Every structure is written in structure tokens, then in C-alpha cells.
Amino acid sequence: MLSKNTVKFIKSLHQKKFRNQEEKFFVEGEKSVLEVLNADFIVELLVATESFVEKNSKLIERSNAQLILATQNQLESLGQYQSNDSALAVVLMKSNRPFDFPKDGFVIGLDDVRDPGNLGTIIRIADWYGIKNLIFSPQTADFYNPKVIQASMGSFTRVNFFYAELDEVFHQWNVPIYGAFLDGKNVHEMKHVSRGVILMGNESNGISTTLERVVTHKVTIPGFGQAESLNVAIATAILCDNFKRLSIE
Amino acid sequence: MLSKNTVKFIKSLHQKKFRNQEEKFFVEGEKSVLEVLNADFIVELLVATESFVEKNSKLIERSNAQLILATQNQLESLGQYQSNDSALAVVLMKSNRPFDFPKDGFVIGLDDVRDPGNLGTIIRIADWYGIKNLIFSPQTADFYNPKVIQASMGSFTRVNFFYAELDEVFHQWNVPIYGAFLDGKNVHEMKHVSRGVILMGNESNGISTTLERVVTHKVTIPGFGQAESLNVAIATAILCDNFKRLSIE
């Protein structure tokens, strides 16, 4: 049975402060919960309806998660989204473990992307393009924010990431840094590229002046109309698409 | 002064039923209101703060709109977004006027894209790529929904659109229909294209089977990872970017 204390605990995980204190976060909705049960995360607690448990009994057993049965109504009031009517998992965070730049391919860097919906969408895009590694400035939205998890549509289970001062890491990596600007080289006119960081800036201010200094190539998505800008998740998708195309050509 | 009746009238415009009855919609926030005042829309009523009026007095005079002064608090409670603290305009809808397929270039077609945020984002993308014409199936979100207007970031003033049964219109137009599918031709491997409809489907179900029959070319955004799909606005952006590139090459 779902106790008051468990409800209180899960609700506290809506806040970053408590997530960091407990080193836990939650995942909700059938698709995302199944993804996290199938991934290499440690699921501590699973709150689910009987029908979810029946359908996925083997997977749940294998996870060793504590199981609490709940009704649809209870689930809907626990999480972020009213439409969650099947399961919610409390999961252990992974630690903030820096990685080296991979042998080839791309890493996505985010300089203060603040909106959780944008971050989640960018994680999904990274996963679509097979870009497994992301690096975030300290002020970027929290990876474990429920809105990020939700918007990533399960892709949060398939990427590596860490938070760090980006300029320091980029100095160590010593690879091309492709920064998205409005006055860079037209990405449609670029030739073969195989390796580097695709760096995106803050929703309002773009890439900070500190980071601009470590950008080795300014790149721009060509505009043909009158819109002043594109949303940062949209721009990330277009750059990833071009870079993947250029890395194969 | 802002009367109770005016408040009630503006609030009624949150609903599609009343927008259609009155043939009016509202636009809020400094950027969007300035865009609509500068465009070829008829602004019937402008509710604005003194400071907005002072900064834009000539533009407001030229518009012939009825002007009502209001406080920031009043404005915040009138519209959809709490952060609106400068102006709100009540604007006459344009009629649903079908157009012929333009001499060259692309038209974006949407088959039941239901989410207003997606529709607004797609309008902004169309404007970025200079695609002036869009056509929507009857079940696509309402162009004049305040969330659409907001997400379009002013681009709603620079596009033409109409709602219609898409298969009937496509038969008349007799141009290539490029439909987004998961099993089509890789858009990175396509050659020069210059003209046609870029057709996107519903968020959950994609392009309907009825419309699939009038698609002349199935196209696909190549995936390199494990995400199952991309959001429809993201996919629209990537296809527009590729088609614009291919139309110039």
C-alpha cells in the first residue's frame, strides 16, 4: 500500500534540492518506466497498477525494485503529468562522471540551456542521431528534472552526460568546437567533418562571450525568410542532421 | 478604462467557438503585438500600458485601433501568459482563402497536427526557411489559438494558410507530395528538388492512410541511434532544411 510517507517522499523529488540530497529521481508513464527498467539504472521503488505489473512481471522481478501497487488516481496525483496512469519508478541518479572526448564522432555541448523541455528534446535528438555524449554548463537545466525525463521520451537512458565549466573541458579535449551563431559559416556550404563538439547557447543570449573564445568554428543555419531565430532544440536538430550528413559524405 | 464587458469579451476569445463566432483573435506580449501592428492585419482594439503607448505612439495611431490603457496586473490576467506585461491586441481573423500552388518552392502540409505548440513552432520554422504557404487538414490545431500565436514568435503575420481536405487539394495541384514516413527514402541521399508539398502527419499516428495514397515520394530522416521517432516540429525543421539545401545545390 502507498503510505503517506512514500507519497511525501516522491513529491519531494519534484524539487532539485531533494533529488540531489537523496541522489534519486523519478520516472513516470508506461514507456519511460519500461525503458528505465530495461536500462542499466538501479530502480529502487516501483509504484504501479495491477495491470502494469501483470504485463511486465518478469522485468519487474529482475529489477529487484520494491513494488507498491496503486490505483490510476493515486498515480496521477503523484507525478508531474496527469496522464500517467500505469507506473512511476524511483531511480538512483548516476554520478557526475566526466568522460574523455570519444575516438570519433560528436559531443553536444549546452551553454546554459535553461528550459527543461528544450533539454529533454535535445536528449531525444542526440539519441536519434546516435550522439551518445553530452556536456552541460553548470547553469543548464537539471537532467533529472521530471520535465526533462518526460520530454526525452526514454532517450535519457541511452546517453552519457556531465556538468562542468565548459571552457576548461574544451581546453583539455583540444578538438574542433562548432558553436551555433547567427553570423557564422553557412552549414550547407561546409565540407566533410568527422569530429568535434556541437555547442549550443542559452535560449535568450546564445553562447556566452567567455565560451565564444574557445569556439574554433562559428556555424550558422541559413535563413531564407524573416524569422529572427529558431528555438534551440530545433537548431540543435538541424545542426546534428547536417553534421551527420557531412561526416558520411 | 478596461470595462468588465471588455475583459469578458477578451477572455471569451480563449475559446475557438467564440473566436470563430466573432471572427477575432488576440495577440499578446510586446514582440507579437508590434509584429501584428506592423503587418497587414486589422487591429480592432489595443489594451496596453502607458509605457508601451509612449514608446509606440505613431504606430498605434496609424493602426486606428481603439486604445485602452491598462496596468501590468490587468494585462497579466487577461491573456494566456502571465508574463505579458505590456500589450494585448484584438485582431480581425483573415478568411480561409484557398491559394493555388505557387510557381516554385515549397508548401508545408499538416495532416492533423493537434498540438498548438507544435503548430506555432512549425509556422516559425516555415518563416525561417521562407516558406510562405501552409495548408492544414480540418483537424489540425486552430491557427488563431493563443498558444499557436505565442509559439510562432510573430511569424504568424508572415504566412498564408488555409484549412481543407488535403487529398482533394493535392489532386488539383498535381505537384510532388513529399510525405514524412519512417520507411521512405533517406533525405540525405536525395538529389535536387525544387517544388512540392512537404507533408507532415499527426503526432501519434503520422500521415493517414487516405493521404498516404496521394503521397508521390515517401521521405525519411535517417536515424543513427535508438530513439523511435522525432517530434513533428523537429522533423519539419529537418526536412525544410534539407529541401532548401537541395533546391539550391
Side-chain angles (χ1 to χ4, degrees), chain A residues 13 18 21 44 47 64 93-94 124 139 142 158 167 170 174 196 199 201 207 223 225 238:
Chain A
L13 298 180
F18 291 107
Q21 200 171 293
E44 189 186 64
V47 185
N64 285 321
M93 282 184 183
K94 293 184 176 180
R124 184 177 174 193
Q139 297 306 318
D142 180 30
R158 287 184 291 270
D167 51 346
F170 293 167
N174 193 26
L199 178 63
I207 293 172
I238 295 168

Side-chain angles (χ1 to χ4, degrees), chain A residues 31 124-125 127-130 158 188 221-231 234 237-238 241-242 245 248, chain B residues 31 124 127-130 158 188 221-231 234 237-238 241-242 245 248:
Chain A
K31 178 178 160 65
R124 184 177 174 193
I125 292 162
D127 187 27
W128 178 268
Y129 284 105
R158 287 184 291 270
H188 289 176
I221 298 165
F224 300 83
Q226 288 170 268
E228 284 166 22
S229 65
L230 290 167
N231 162 284
I234 298 282
I238 295 168
D241 185 76
N242 278 281
R245 177 177 56 77
I248 286 169
Chain B
K31 181 181 159 63
R124 185 176 173 194
D127 187 27
W128 178 269
Y129 284 105
R158 288 183 291 270
H188 289 176
I221 297 166
F224 300 82
Q226 289 169 271
E228 285 166 21
S229 64
L230 290 167
N231 161 283
I234 299 282
I238 296 168
D241 185 76
N242 277 282
R245 177 176 55 78
I248 286 169

Side-chain angles (χ1 to χ4, degrees), chain B residues 66-82:
Chain B
Q66 184 198 345
L67 176 64
I68 297 178
L69 288 178
T71 64
Q72 291 194 8
N73 281 346
Q74 286 175 318
L75 276 165
E76 282 170 8
S77 74
L78 266 185
Q80 178 88 11
Y81 292 93
Q82 291 200 331

